[in-house]
Amino acid sequence: MAKAAESSGEPGTTSPRPLFAGLSDISISQDIPVEGEITIPMRSHIREFDSSTLNESVQNTIMRDLKAVGKKFMHVLYPRKSNTLLRDWDLWGPLILCVTLALMLQRSSVDSEKDGGPQFAEVFVIVWFGAVTITLNSKLLGGNISFFQSLCVLGYCILPLTVAMLVCRLVLLAEQGPINFMVRLFVVIVMFTWSIVASTAFLADSQPPNRKALAIYPVFLFYFVISWMILTFTPQ
Amino acid sequence: MAAVGDLQFEEFGNAAATAAENPGATTISIEGPGESPTHQAGLPRGSGGEEDDELLGNDDSDKTELLAGQKKSSPFWTFEYYQTFFDVDTYQVFDRIKGSLLPIPGKNFVRLYIRSNPDLYGPFWICATLVFAIAISGNLSNFLIHLGEKTYHYVPEFRKVSIAATIIYAYAWLVPLALWGFLMWRNSKVMNIVSYSFLEIVCVYGYSLFIYIPTAVLWIIPQKAVRWILVMIALGVSGSVLAMTFWPAVREDNRRIALATIVTIVLLHTLLSVGCLAYFFDAPEMDHLPTATAAPNQTVAAAKAS
Protein backbone atom coordinates (compact mmCIF):
# COMPACT_ATOMS: atom_id res chain seq x y z
CA MET A 1 0.00 0.00 0.00
CA ALA A 2 2.84 2.36 0.88
CA LYS A 3 4.76 1.57 -2.26
CA ALA A 4 1.73 2.09 -4.42
CA ALA A 5 1.18 5.44 -2.72
CA GLU A 6 4.79 6.41 -3.38
CA SER A 7 4.66 5.35 -6.95
CA SER A 8 1.44 7.19 -7.49
CA GLY A 9 3.07 10.32 -6.00
CA GLU A 10 5.71 10.34 -8.76
CA PRO A 11 3.99 10.79 -12.06
CA GLY A 12 7.27 10.65 -13.96
CA THR A 13 8.17 7.00 -13.16
CA THR A 14 6.62 4.34 -15.30
CA SER A 15 4.48 2.17 -12.99
CA PRO A 16 2.78 -0.75 -14.75
CA ARG A 17 -0.64 -0.30 -13.26
CA PRO A 18 -1.58 2.71 -11.22
CA LEU A 19 -3.85 0.79 -8.84
CA PHE A 20 -4.54 3.44 -6.33
CA ALA A 21 -3.89 6.42 -8.48
CA GLY A 22 -6.04 9.29 -7.53
CA LEU A 23 -6.80 7.95 -4.11
CA SER A 24 -4.76 10.60 -2.47
CA ASP A 25 -6.91 13.19 -4.11
CA ILE A 26 -10.02 12.00 -2.40
CA SER A 27 -11.03 13.84 0.66
CA ILE A 28 -14.19 13.07 2.50
CA SER A 29 -15.93 16.35 2.93
CA GLN A 30 -19.13 15.18 4.52
CA ASP A 31 -20.13 12.27 6.63
CA ILE A 32 -21.43 9.38 4.62
CA PRO A 33 -23.73 7.39 6.82
CA VAL A 34 -22.77 3.73 6.81
CA GLU A 35 -25.65 1.56 7.66
CA GLY A 36 -27.50 -1.31 6.21
CA GLU A 37 -28.46 -4.87 6.90
CA ILE A 38 -26.21 -7.87 7.11
CA THR A 39 -28.08 -11.08 6.48
CA ILE A 40 -26.54 -14.54 6.82
CA PRO A 41 -27.60 -16.43 3.72
CA MET A 42 -27.91 -19.80 5.56
CA ARG A 43 -29.71 -19.95 8.85
CA SER A 44 -27.96 -22.11 11.43
CA HIS A 45 -29.88 -25.07 12.78
CA ILE A 46 -28.34 -25.03 16.23
CA ARG A 47 -30.63 -24.48 19.16
CA GLU A 48 -30.60 -20.88 20.25
CA PHE A 49 -28.59 -20.83 23.41
CA ASP A 50 -29.43 -17.37 24.58
CA SER A 51 -32.52 -16.13 26.29
CA SER A 52 -35.02 -18.38 24.53
CA THR A 53 -34.38 -21.49 26.63
CA LEU A 54 -33.93 -19.48 29.79
CA ASN A 55 -37.36 -17.97 29.60
CA GLU A 56 -39.33 -21.01 28.62
CA SER A 57 -41.52 -22.78 31.10
CA VAL A 58 -40.14 -25.59 33.25
CA GLN A 59 -42.52 -28.02 31.65
CA ASN A 60 -40.96 -27.35 28.24
CA THR A 61 -37.48 -28.01 29.53
CA ILE A 62 -38.42 -31.20 31.30
CA MET A 63 -40.46 -32.50 28.39
CA ARG A 64 -37.63 -31.82 25.97
CA ASP A 65 -35.14 -33.73 28.07
CA LEU A 66 -37.61 -36.53 28.73
CA LYS A 67 -38.27 -36.85 25.02
CA ALA A 68 -34.53 -37.11 24.35
CA VAL A 69 -34.22 -39.78 27.02
CA GLY A 70 -37.23 -41.63 25.64
CA LYS A 71 -35.85 -41.52 22.13
CA LYS A 72 -32.64 -43.11 23.35
CA PHE A 73 -34.62 -45.79 25.20
CA MET A 74 -36.21 -46.69 21.88
CA HIS A 75 -32.78 -46.91 20.28
CA VAL A 76 -31.65 -49.30 22.98
CA LEU A 77 -34.74 -51.48 22.70
CA TYR A 78 -34.42 -51.74 18.95
CA PRO A 79 -30.68 -51.55 18.40
CA ARG A 80 -29.72 -50.59 14.91
CA LYS A 81 -26.40 -49.24 13.81
CA SER A 82 -27.10 -45.61 14.43
CA ASN A 83 -25.08 -43.18 16.44
CA THR A 84 -27.81 -41.12 18.04
CA LEU A 85 -26.74 -42.41 21.42
CA LEU A 86 -23.19 -41.37 20.75
CA ARG A 87 -23.83 -38.00 19.19
CA ASP A 88 -26.24 -36.48 21.71
CA TRP A 89 -25.13 -38.22 24.83
CA ASP A 90 -26.68 -37.42 28.16
CA LEU A 91 -26.44 -39.00 31.57
CA TRP A 92 -30.06 -38.49 32.69
CA GLY A 93 -31.15 -41.84 31.36
CA PRO A 94 -28.38 -43.82 33.07
CA LEU A 95 -29.08 -41.98 36.32
CA ILE A 96 -32.81 -42.77 36.21
CA LEU A 97 -32.12 -46.42 35.39
CA CYS A 98 -29.42 -46.83 38.01
CA VAL A 99 -31.53 -45.28 40.77
CA THR A 100 -34.53 -47.43 39.82
CA LEU A 101 -32.43 -50.59 39.78
CA ALA A 102 -30.73 -49.79 43.07
CA LEU A 103 -34.02 -48.95 44.77
CA MET A 104 -35.50 -52.25 43.71
CA LEU A 105 -32.44 -54.32 44.51
CA GLN A 106 -31.67 -53.02 47.97
CA ARG A 107 -32.30 -55.01 51.06
CA SER A 108 -35.82 -54.38 52.17
CA SER A 109 -35.32 -54.67 55.91
CA VAL A 110 -32.82 -52.63 57.83
CA ASP A 111 -32.18 -55.11 60.59
CA SER A 112 -30.91 -58.05 58.56
CA GLU A 113 -27.58 -58.82 60.15
CA LYS A 114 -27.02 -61.86 58.03
CA ASP A 115 -25.27 -61.42 54.73
CA GLY A 116 -27.95 -60.37 52.35
CA GLY A 117 -28.27 -58.67 49.07
CA PRO A 118 -26.57 -55.45 48.15
CA GLN A 119 -27.40 -52.14 49.69
CA PHE A 120 -28.46 -49.15 47.60
CA ALA A 121 -24.96 -47.67 47.69
CA GLU A 122 -23.35 -50.93 46.68
CA VAL A 123 -25.48 -51.25 43.54
CA PHE A 124 -24.88 -47.61 42.69
CA VAL A 125 -21.12 -47.97 43.11
CA ILE A 126 -21.00 -51.18 41.09
CA VAL A 127 -22.89 -49.65 38.19
CA TRP A 128 -21.03 -46.37 38.01
CA PHE A 129 -17.55 -47.60 38.85
CA GLY A 130 -18.03 -50.58 36.59
CA ALA A 131 -18.99 -48.27 33.72
CA VAL A 132 -16.03 -45.97 34.43
CA THR A 133 -13.62 -48.93 34.52
CA ILE A 134 -14.92 -50.30 31.23
CA THR A 135 -14.63 -46.86 29.63
CA LEU A 136 -11.06 -46.43 30.87
CA ASN A 137 -10.23 -49.90 29.63
CA SER A 138 -11.58 -49.18 26.18
CA LYS A 139 -9.74 -45.88 25.98
CA LEU A 140 -6.49 -47.44 27.15
CA LEU A 141 -6.79 -50.09 24.48
CA GLY A 142 -6.89 -47.34 21.90
CA GLY A 143 -10.58 -46.84 21.25
CA ASN A 144 -11.68 -43.50 19.87
CA ILE A 145 -14.82 -42.94 21.86
CA SER A 146 -15.11 -40.15 24.34
CA PHE A 147 -15.45 -40.80 28.05
CA PHE A 148 -19.02 -39.62 28.48
CA GLN A 149 -20.27 -41.17 25.28
CA SER A 150 -19.16 -44.55 26.52
CA LEU A 151 -20.71 -43.97 29.95
CA CYS A 152 -23.92 -42.94 28.22
CA VAL A 153 -24.09 -46.11 26.10
CA LEU A 154 -23.29 -48.43 28.99
CA GLY A 155 -25.84 -46.72 31.21
CA TYR A 156 -28.63 -46.78 28.66
CA CYS A 157 -28.05 -50.46 27.88
CA ILE A 158 -28.99 -51.31 31.47
CA LEU A 159 -32.61 -50.67 30.39
CA PRO A 160 -33.39 -54.30 29.43
CA LEU A 161 -32.05 -55.47 32.79
CA THR A 162 -34.18 -52.93 34.65
CA VAL A 163 -37.20 -54.26 32.79
CA ALA A 164 -36.11 -57.76 33.85
CA MET A 165 -35.95 -56.58 37.46
CA LEU A 166 -39.50 -55.26 37.26
CA VAL A 167 -40.74 -58.52 35.76
CA CYS A 168 -38.90 -60.53 38.43
CA ARG A 169 -40.46 -58.48 41.18
CA LEU A 170 -43.88 -59.13 39.76
CA VAL A 171 -43.20 -62.85 39.32
CA LEU A 172 -41.98 -63.06 42.93
CA LEU A 173 -45.41 -61.96 44.13
CA ALA A 174 -46.69 -65.34 43.03
CA GLU A 175 -45.81 -68.46 44.98
CA GLN A 176 -42.17 -69.49 45.15
CA GLY A 177 -40.93 -72.68 43.64
CA PRO A 178 -38.87 -74.10 40.81
CA ILE A 179 -41.26 -72.86 38.12
CA ASN A 180 -41.02 -69.37 39.55
CA PHE A 181 -37.25 -69.62 39.39
CA MET A 182 -37.27 -70.96 35.82
CA VAL A 183 -39.42 -68.08 34.62
CA ARG A 184 -37.12 -65.55 36.27
CA LEU A 185 -34.03 -67.28 34.90
CA PHE A 186 -35.45 -67.21 31.38
CA VAL A 187 -36.39 -63.53 31.58
CA VAL A 188 -33.00 -62.53 32.98
CA ILE A 189 -31.11 -64.51 30.34
CA VAL A 190 -33.12 -62.95 27.50
CA MET A 191 -32.64 -59.42 28.84
CA PHE A 192 -28.94 -60.02 29.48
CA THR A 193 -28.46 -61.07 25.85
CA TRP A 194 -30.43 -58.02 24.73
CA SER A 195 -28.17 -55.70 26.75
CA ILE A 196 -25.04 -57.26 25.35
CA VAL A 197 -26.29 -57.03 21.76
CA ALA A 198 -27.39 -53.42 22.20
CA SER A 199 -24.15 -52.22 23.76
CA THR A 200 -22.03 -54.15 21.25
CA ALA A 201 -23.93 -52.54 18.40
CA PHE A 202 -22.99 -49.12 19.68
CA LEU A 203 -19.54 -49.69 21.08
CA ALA A 204 -17.92 -52.16 18.73
CA ASP A 205 -17.18 -49.73 15.94
CA SER A 206 -15.07 -47.46 18.07
CA GLN A 207 -12.47 -50.09 18.87
CA PRO A 208 -9.44 -51.01 16.81
CA PRO A 209 -10.33 -54.18 14.91
CA ASN A 210 -7.75 -56.47 16.46
CA ARG A 211 -8.80 -55.63 20.01
CA LYS A 212 -12.57 -55.80 19.77
CA ALA A 213 -12.85 -58.91 21.91
CA LEU A 214 -10.60 -57.39 24.56
CA ALA A 215 -12.87 -54.35 24.81
CA ILE A 216 -16.18 -56.25 24.72
CA TYR A 217 -15.36 -58.86 27.36
CA PRO A 218 -15.52 -56.41 30.32
CA VAL A 219 -18.96 -55.29 29.10
CA PHE A 220 -20.04 -58.92 29.19
CA LEU A 221 -18.69 -59.30 32.75
CA PHE A 222 -20.43 -56.10 33.86
CA TYR A 223 -23.87 -57.10 32.63
CA PHE A 224 -23.36 -60.63 33.92
CA VAL A 225 -22.76 -59.35 37.45
CA ILE A 226 -25.84 -57.11 37.28
CA SER A 227 -27.92 -60.03 35.96
CA TRP A 228 -26.67 -62.20 38.81
CA MET A 229 -27.73 -59.57 41.34
CA ILE A 230 -31.17 -59.40 39.74
CA LEU A 231 -31.58 -63.16 39.59
CA THR A 232 -30.59 -63.77 43.19
CA PHE A 233 -32.83 -61.08 44.58
CA THR A 234 -34.99 -62.53 47.29
CA PRO A 235 -37.55 -60.51 49.19
CA GLN A 236 -36.93 -60.77 52.92
CA MET B 1 29.68 -12.83 13.71
CA ALA B 2 29.65 -15.41 10.93
CA ALA B 3 29.26 -14.10 7.44
CA VAL B 4 26.43 -15.33 5.32
CA GLY B 5 28.82 -17.20 3.05
CA ASP B 6 30.14 -19.38 5.91
CA LEU B 7 26.81 -21.06 6.52
CA GLN B 8 26.55 -24.00 4.18
CA PHE B 9 24.11 -26.84 4.07
CA GLU B 10 25.72 -30.25 4.51
CA GLU B 11 24.54 -33.00 2.29
CA PHE B 12 23.41 -36.05 4.27
CA GLY B 13 22.01 -37.96 1.34
CA ASN B 14 24.89 -40.43 1.15
CA ALA B 15 24.24 -42.97 3.87
CA ALA B 16 27.33 -45.02 3.08
CA ALA B 17 29.60 -42.01 3.50
CA THR B 18 28.14 -41.15 6.89
CA ALA B 19 28.37 -44.80 7.96
CA ALA B 20 32.03 -44.84 7.03
CA GLU B 21 32.70 -41.65 8.99
CA ASN B 22 30.69 -42.64 12.04
CA PRO B 23 30.69 -46.40 12.51
CA GLY B 24 28.63 -46.34 15.68
CA ALA B 25 25.65 -44.56 14.13
CA THR B 26 22.59 -46.32 12.85
CA THR B 27 21.56 -45.22 9.40
CA ILE B 28 18.00 -45.59 8.27
CA SER B 29 17.39 -45.06 4.59
CA ILE B 30 14.22 -43.08 4.14
CA GLU B 31 12.94 -40.66 1.54
CA GLY B 32 13.95 -37.21 2.71
CA PRO B 33 17.69 -36.65 2.90
CA GLY B 34 17.16 -33.98 5.53
CA GLU B 35 15.56 -36.42 7.97
CA SER B 36 18.51 -38.70 8.63
CA PRO B 37 20.49 -36.24 10.78
CA THR B 38 17.56 -36.00 13.20
CA HIS B 39 17.38 -39.79 13.38
CA GLN B 40 21.05 -40.07 14.12
CA ALA B 41 20.86 -37.44 16.79
CA GLY B 42 17.71 -38.94 18.29
CA LEU B 43 19.09 -42.39 19.08
CA PRO B 44 20.95 -42.03 22.33
CA ARG B 45 22.00 -45.67 22.66
CA GLY B 46 25.46 -45.98 21.22
CA SER B 47 25.68 -49.74 21.51
CA GLY B 48 22.23 -50.24 20.06
CA GLY B 49 23.49 -49.87 16.51
CA GLU B 50 25.39 -53.13 16.46
CA GLU B 51 22.52 -55.08 17.96
CA ASP B 52 20.17 -53.78 15.32
CA ASP B 53 22.47 -54.91 12.55
CA GLU B 54 22.67 -58.42 13.97
CA LEU B 55 18.97 -58.89 14.43
CA LEU B 56 17.79 -57.39 11.17
CA GLY B 57 17.08 -60.82 9.74
CA ASN B 58 14.52 -61.73 12.39
CA ASP B 59 11.70 -59.35 11.85
CA ASP B 60 9.79 -59.87 15.08
CA SER B 61 12.67 -59.26 17.44
CA ASP B 62 14.05 -56.38 15.41
CA LYS B 63 10.77 -54.58 15.94
CA THR B 64 11.05 -55.37 19.62
CA GLU B 65 14.58 -54.04 19.80
CA LEU B 66 13.77 -50.85 17.99
CA LEU B 67 10.63 -50.27 19.97
CA ALA B 68 12.05 -51.26 23.32
CA GLY B 69 14.02 -48.09 23.62
CA GLN B 70 11.09 -45.94 22.62
CA LYS B 71 8.52 -47.44 24.96
CA LYS B 72 7.44 -45.67 28.10
CA SER B 73 8.95 -42.40 27.04
CA SER B 74 5.94 -40.29 28.05
CA PRO B 75 5.98 -38.88 31.56
CA PHE B 76 3.90 -40.76 34.06
CA TRP B 77 1.22 -38.12 34.42
CA THR B 78 0.06 -38.39 30.81
CA PHE B 79 -2.54 -40.81 29.52
CA GLU B 80 -0.16 -42.17 26.87
CA TYR B 81 2.14 -43.58 29.55
CA TYR B 82 -0.60 -45.89 30.75
CA GLN B 83 -1.60 -46.80 27.22
CA THR B 84 1.73 -48.53 26.78
CA PHE B 85 0.64 -51.10 29.33
CA PHE B 86 -2.40 -52.03 27.27
CA ASP B 87 -0.58 -52.47 23.98
CA VAL B 88 -1.75 -56.01 23.33
CA ASP B 89 -3.93 -57.56 20.68
CA THR B 90 -6.58 -60.22 21.22
CA TYR B 91 -4.45 -63.06 19.90
CA GLN B 92 -1.57 -62.05 22.18
CA VAL B 93 -3.78 -62.24 25.26
CA PHE B 94 -5.06 -65.64 24.17
CA ASP B 95 -1.50 -66.86 23.58
CA ARG B 96 -0.46 -65.76 27.05
CA ILE B 97 -3.45 -67.48 28.62
CA LYS B 98 -2.66 -70.64 26.68
CA GLY B 99 0.94 -70.44 27.85
CA SER B 100 -0.17 -70.22 31.45
CA LEU B 101 -2.38 -73.28 31.06
CA LEU B 102 0.24 -75.50 29.42
CA PRO B 103 3.54 -75.12 31.19
CA ILE B 104 6.24 -76.66 29.04
CA PRO B 105 9.33 -77.59 31.03
CA GLY B 106 12.29 -75.55 29.92
CA LYS B 107 10.23 -72.78 28.35
CA ASN B 108 10.09 -69.60 30.35
CA PHE B 109 6.68 -67.90 30.32
CA VAL B 110 8.16 -64.44 30.43
CA ARG B 111 10.72 -64.96 27.69
CA LEU B 112 8.35 -66.85 25.47
CA TYR B 113 5.16 -64.86 25.70
CA ILE B 114 5.75 -61.55 27.35
CA ARG B 115 9.02 -60.60 25.67
CA SER B 116 9.37 -57.14 27.15
CA ASN B 117 5.78 -56.18 26.43
CA PRO B 118 4.12 -56.73 29.79
CA ASP B 119 0.49 -55.76 29.84
CA LEU B 120 -1.86 -54.89 32.65
CA TYR B 121 -5.00 -55.94 30.79
CA GLY B 122 -4.58 -59.65 31.54
CA PRO B 123 -3.80 -59.41 35.26
CA PHE B 124 -6.55 -56.88 35.95
CA TRP B 125 -9.41 -58.60 34.15
CA ILE B 126 -8.38 -62.12 35.10
CA CYS B 127 -8.42 -61.04 38.75
CA ALA B 128 -11.82 -59.34 38.30
CA THR B 129 -13.27 -62.45 36.67
CA LEU B 130 -11.78 -64.65 39.39
CA VAL B 131 -13.31 -62.48 42.14
CA PHE B 132 -16.80 -62.83 40.70
CA ALA B 133 -16.28 -66.48 39.78
CA ILE B 134 -15.34 -67.37 43.35
CA ALA B 135 -18.13 -65.32 44.93
CA ILE B 136 -20.84 -66.56 42.56
CA SER B 137 -19.70 -70.20 42.62
CA GLY B 138 -19.47 -70.15 46.39
CA ASN B 139 -22.99 -68.78 46.62
CA LEU B 140 -24.34 -71.36 44.15
CA SER B 141 -22.55 -74.23 45.84
CA ASN B 142 -23.88 -73.26 49.27
CA PHE B 143 -27.35 -73.01 47.83
CA LEU B 144 -27.14 -76.48 46.28
CA ILE B 145 -25.69 -78.06 49.40
CA HIS B 146 -28.37 -76.68 51.72
CA LEU B 147 -31.17 -77.15 49.20
CA GLY B 148 -33.32 -79.63 51.07
CA GLU B 149 -33.05 -78.12 54.52
CA LYS B 150 -36.13 -76.56 56.01
CA THR B 151 -34.28 -73.98 58.08
CA TYR B 152 -32.17 -72.65 55.26
CA HIS B 153 -33.12 -69.27 53.82
CA TYR B 154 -31.18 -68.32 50.73
CA VAL B 155 -29.16 -65.13 50.94
CA PRO B 156 -27.06 -63.72 48.10
CA GLU B 157 -24.11 -63.04 50.46
CA PHE B 158 -23.06 -59.93 48.67
CA ARG B 159 -20.50 -58.98 51.31
CA LYS B 160 -18.31 -61.86 50.19
CA VAL B 161 -17.66 -60.16 46.84
CA SER B 162 -15.75 -57.35 48.52
CA ILE B 163 -13.82 -59.81 50.69
CA ALA B 164 -12.90 -61.88 47.63
CA ALA B 165 -11.85 -58.75 45.75
CA THR B 166 -9.57 -57.66 48.59
CA ILE B 167 -7.93 -61.06 48.86
CA ILE B 168 -7.37 -61.63 45.15
CA TYR B 169 -6.14 -58.15 44.31
CA ALA B 170 -3.88 -58.02 47.35
CA TYR B 171 -2.38 -61.36 46.37
CA ALA B 172 -1.93 -60.35 42.74
CA TRP B 173 -0.17 -57.07 43.57
CA LEU B 174 1.51 -57.33 46.97
CA VAL B 175 3.14 -60.72 46.49
CA PRO B 176 4.77 -59.64 43.20
CA LEU B 177 5.92 -56.48 44.94
CA ALA B 178 7.52 -58.46 47.74
CA LEU B 179 9.05 -60.93 45.30
CA TRP B 180 10.42 -58.14 43.12
CA GLY B 181 11.96 -56.43 46.13
CA PHE B 182 13.49 -59.70 47.25
CA LEU B 183 14.94 -60.42 43.79
CA MET B 184 16.35 -56.91 43.52
CA TRP B 185 18.03 -57.35 46.90
CA ARG B 186 19.54 -60.68 45.90
CA ASN B 187 20.60 -59.19 42.57
CA SER B 188 22.70 -56.63 44.37
CA LYS B 189 24.56 -59.42 46.16
CA VAL B 190 24.78 -62.11 43.50
CA MET B 191 24.99 -61.24 39.82
CA ASN B 192 22.04 -63.00 38.22
CA ILE B 193 21.76 -63.37 34.49
CA VAL B 194 18.01 -63.18 34.44
CA SER B 195 16.16 -60.40 36.14
CA TYR B 196 12.55 -59.40 35.79
CA SER B 197 10.91 -56.02 36.00
CA PHE B 198 8.05 -55.45 38.42
CA LEU B 199 5.45 -55.41 35.66
CA GLU B 200 6.65 -58.70 34.23
CA ILE B 201 6.26 -60.34 37.64
CA VAL B 202 2.75 -58.89 38.02
CA CYS B 203 1.98 -60.18 34.53
CA VAL B 204 3.15 -63.73 35.34
CA TYR B 205 1.17 -63.83 38.55
CA GLY B 206 -1.93 -62.46 36.86
CA TYR B 207 -1.90 -64.95 34.03
CA SER B 208 -1.06 -67.83 36.35
CA LEU B 209 -4.30 -67.17 38.25
CA PHE B 210 -6.33 -67.94 35.13
CA ILE B 211 -6.52 -71.68 35.88
CA TYR B 212 -8.48 -70.90 39.04
CA ILE B 213 -11.46 -69.56 37.10
CA PRO B 214 -12.62 -72.93 35.73
CA THR B 215 -11.50 -74.50 39.00
CA ALA B 216 -13.79 -72.19 40.97
CA VAL B 217 -16.70 -73.02 38.70
CA LEU B 218 -16.05 -76.74 39.10
CA TRP B 219 -15.85 -76.37 42.88
CA ILE B 220 -19.64 -76.13 42.83
CA ILE B 221 -19.69 -79.94 42.72
CA PRO B 222 -20.30 -80.83 46.37
CA GLN B 223 -17.87 -83.73 46.65
CA LYS B 224 -14.84 -83.32 48.86
CA ALA B 225 -12.67 -85.65 46.80
CA VAL B 226 -13.49 -83.85 43.53
CA ARG B 227 -12.67 -80.49 45.10
CA TRP B 228 -9.31 -81.61 46.41
CA ILE B 229 -8.37 -83.20 43.10
CA LEU B 230 -9.19 -79.90 41.41
CA VAL B 231 -7.00 -78.08 43.94
CA MET B 232 -4.12 -80.41 43.13
CA ILE B 233 -4.48 -79.97 39.37
CA ALA B 234 -4.76 -76.18 39.53
CA LEU B 235 -1.86 -75.93 41.93
CA GLY B 236 0.23 -78.19 39.75
CA VAL B 237 -0.35 -76.15 36.61
CA SER B 238 0.01 -72.64 37.99
CA GLY B 239 2.67 -73.57 40.50
CA SER B 240 4.83 -75.05 37.79
CA VAL B 241 4.39 -71.95 35.63
CA LEU B 242 5.59 -69.79 38.50
CA ALA B 243 8.40 -72.14 39.49
CA MET B 244 9.71 -72.43 35.94
CA THR B 245 9.58 -68.67 35.53
CA PHE B 246 11.45 -67.83 38.70
CA TRP B 247 13.94 -70.68 38.81
CA PRO B 248 16.28 -69.02 36.27
CA ALA B 249 16.21 -65.86 38.32
CA VAL B 250 17.47 -67.49 41.51
CA ARG B 251 19.50 -70.30 40.02
CA GLU B 252 22.88 -68.62 40.43
CA ASP B 253 22.22 -67.84 44.03
CA ASN B 254 22.98 -69.86 47.12
CA ARG B 255 21.30 -73.25 46.73
CA ARG B 256 19.27 -73.03 49.89
CA ILE B 257 18.02 -69.52 49.23
CA ALA B 258 16.99 -70.47 45.71
CA LEU B 259 15.05 -73.48 46.90
CA ALA B 260 13.50 -71.51 49.75
CA THR B 261 12.29 -68.84 47.31
CA ILE B 262 10.63 -71.34 45.01
CA VAL B 263 9.07 -73.19 47.93
CA THR B 264 7.71 -69.93 49.36
CA ILE B 265 6.16 -68.97 46.03
CA VAL B 266 4.39 -72.32 45.71
CA LEU B 267 3.37 -72.26 49.37
CA LEU B 268 1.71 -68.86 49.07
CA HIS B 269 -0.13 -70.07 45.99
CA THR B 270 -1.35 -73.11 47.89
CA LEU B 271 -2.47 -70.93 50.75
CA LEU B 272 -4.52 -68.80 48.39
CA SER B 273 -6.36 -71.69 46.78
CA VAL B 274 -6.99 -73.65 49.98
CA GLY B 275 -8.05 -70.50 51.81
CA CYS B 276 -10.54 -69.59 49.10
CA LEU B 277 -11.93 -73.10 49.07
CA ALA B 278 -12.35 -73.14 52.84
CA TYR B 279 -13.88 -69.68 53.19
CA PHE B 280 -16.21 -69.37 50.25
CA PHE B 281 -17.37 -72.96 49.88
CA ASP B 282 -19.14 -74.69 52.72
CA ALA B 283 -18.04 -78.20 53.48
CA PRO B 284 -20.36 -80.69 51.84
CA GLU B 285 -21.70 -82.90 54.62
CA MET B 286 -23.14 -86.25 53.79
CA ASP B 287 -26.44 -84.46 53.20
CA HIS B 288 -29.63 -86.32 53.77
CA LEU B 289 -28.15 -89.48 55.19
CA PRO B 290 -27.42 -88.21 58.71
CA THR B 291 -30.81 -86.49 58.96
CA ALA B 292 -32.53 -89.73 57.97
CA THR B 293 -30.56 -91.74 60.53
CA ALA B 294 -30.78 -89.00 63.13
CA ALA B 295 -34.57 -88.88 63.00
CA PRO B 296 -35.17 -92.50 64.03
CA ASN B 297 -32.44 -92.07 66.66
CA GLN B 298 -34.27 -89.10 68.07
CA THR B 299 -37.56 -90.91 68.10
CA VAL B 300 -35.89 -93.88 69.81
CA ALA B 301 -34.30 -91.58 72.37
CA ALA B 302 -37.61 -89.83 72.95
CA ALA B 303 -39.33 -93.18 73.38
CA LYS B 304 -36.66 -94.27 75.87
CA ALA B 305 -36.89 -91.05 77.84
CA SER B 306 -40.65 -91.14 78.17
Side-chain angles (χ1 to χ4, degrees), chain A residues 3-221:
Chain A
K3 267 199 185 157
E6 282 171 346
S7 61
S8 63
E10 301 166 347
T13 56
T14 51
S15 43
R17 202 173 295 191
L19 289 170
F20 299 107
L23 250 188
S24 49
D25 297 341
I26 293 180
S27 62
I28 300 180
S29 54
Q30 64 197 41
D31 289 22
I32 303 176
V34 180
E35 60 179 280
E37 290 216 359
I38 300 177
T39 54
I40 307 169
M42 184 185 74
R43 283 191 68 85
S44 58
H45 297 284
I46 325 170
R47 270 193 327 211
E48 291 125 9
F49 283 108
D50 38 18
S51 59
S52 50
T53 62
L54 200 56
N55 288 337
E56 67 181 6
S57 66
V58 176
Q59 183 187 4
N60 272 357
T61 318
I62 293 183
M63 285 316 293
R64 188 177 58 234
D65 281 331
L66 275 181
K67 278 202 197 114
V69 168
K71 205 163 80 153
K72 292 200 191 67
F73 278 173
M74 284 300 125
H75 276 277
V76 169
L77 287 179
Y78 303 108
R80 296 178 304 267
K81 279 214 186 283
S82 80
N83 49 1
T84 310
L85 235 72
L86 293 178
R87 228 179 14 211
D88 315 315
W89 60 268
D90 73 89
L91 291 179
W92 282 117
L95 183 67
I96 295 174
L97 288 172
C98 182
V99 167
T100 316
L101 195 63
L103 275 175
M104 286 196 288
L105 268 178
Q106 65 173 343
R107 249 176 270 180
S108 51
S109 59
V110 184
D111 57 346
S112 57
E113 286 120 20
K114 291 197 307 185
D115 240 350
Q119 298 278 18
F120 180 90
E122 288 171 340
V123 179
F124 213 77
V125 158
I126 282 192
V127 170
W128 285 102
F129 274 94
V132 165
T133 310
I134 296 175
T135 308
L136 278 180
N137 176 64
S138 114
K139 283 185 80 74
L140 283 169
L141 282 173
N144 60 351
I145 192 172
S146 97
F147 184 75
F148 288 108
Q149 281 173 346
S150 174
L151 277 187
C152 169
V153 168
L154 288 169
Y156 269 104
C157 290
I158 297 182
L159 176 67
L161 288 170
T162 312
V163 169
M165 182 75 222
L166 283 166
V167 172
C168 281
R169 271 297 292 258
L170 289 174
V171 169
L172 277 171
L173 291 175
E175 59 159 294
Q176 308 255 4
I179 308 176
N180 195 307
F181 178 72
M182 284 297 151
V183 169
R184 283 187 291 142
L185 181 67
F186 177 71
V187 167
V188 169
I189 288 181
V190 165
M191 292 302 174
F192 166 65
T193 322
W194 202 336
S195 281
I196 298 274
V197 165
S199 61
T200 312
F202 293 118
L203 286 178
D205 288 333
S206 66
Q207 300 299 322
N210 50 349
R211 295 180 185 182
K212 273 205 174 73
L214 294 185
I216 295 295
Y217 170 72
V219 177
F220 169 84
L221 188 65

Side-chain angles (χ1 to χ4, degrees), chain A residues 115-116 139 210-211 214 217, chain B residues 87-90 121 129 155 159:
Chain A
D115 240 350
K139 283 185 80 74
N210 50 349
R211 295 180 185 182
L214 294 185
Y217 170 72
Chain B
D87 194 17
V88 277
D89 293 337
T90 310
Y121 177 89
T129 312
V155 283
R159 195 65 30 92

Side-chain angles (χ1 to χ4, degrees), chain B residues 68-227:
Chain B
Q70 295 167 12
K71 267 167 76 73
K72 301 184 181 61
S73 55
S74 328
F76 68 90
W77 56 82
T78 57
F79 192 68
E80 283 74 27
Y81 176 75
Y82 297 101
Q83 265 185 325
T84 58
F85 302 138
F86 282 78
D87 194 17
V88 277
D89 293 337
T90 310
Y91 76 92
Q92 282 177 319
V93 173
F94 281 151
D95 276 344
R96 292 175 187 193
I97 291 179
K98 236 178 11 192
S100 78
L101 289 177
L102 306 165
I104 307 173
K107 295 270 182 78
N108 191 336
F109 181 76
V110 175
R111 282 289 157 258
L112 196 58
Y113 291 104
I114 298 192
R115 277 212 273 194
S116 70
N117 183 19
D119 70 305
L120 284 181
Y121 177 89
F124 182 78
W125 287 109
I126 291 179
C127 288
T129 312
L130 186 59
V131 163
F132 288 114
I134 286 187
I136 291 177
S137 306
N139 199 237
L140 254 183
S141 135
N142 291 350
F143 172 71
L144 288 176
I145 286 177
H146 298 289
L147 190 48
E149 292 171 19
K150 293 279 184 269
T151 55
Y152 179 71
H153 178 68
Y154 171 74
V155 283
E157 288 177 328
F158 194 73
R159 195 65 30 92
K160 295 212 164 162
V161 172
S162 7
I163 298 177
T166 316
I167 296 177
I168 302 280
Y169 274 102
Y171 180 79
W173 286 86
L174 293 183
V175 172
L177 186 65
L179 187 60
W180 176 74
F182 177 74
L183 287 177
M184 284 293 120
W185 175 61
R186 292 311 299 175
N187 249 354
S188 66
K189 302 210 158 170
V190 176
M191 191 56 218
N192 273 323
I193 299 181
V194 173
S195 73
Y196 297 125
S197 71
F198 172 61
L199 280 172
E200 286 172 348
I201 301 184
V202 167
C203 219
V204 173
Y205 262 88
Y207 281 103
S208 75
L209 285 177
F210 180 80
I211 182 81
Y212 285 113
I213 298 178
T215 310
V217 173
L218 287 175
W219 272 340
I220 297 179
I221 302 174
Q223 299 292 330
K224 253 198 154 96
V226 171
R227 288 182 178 179

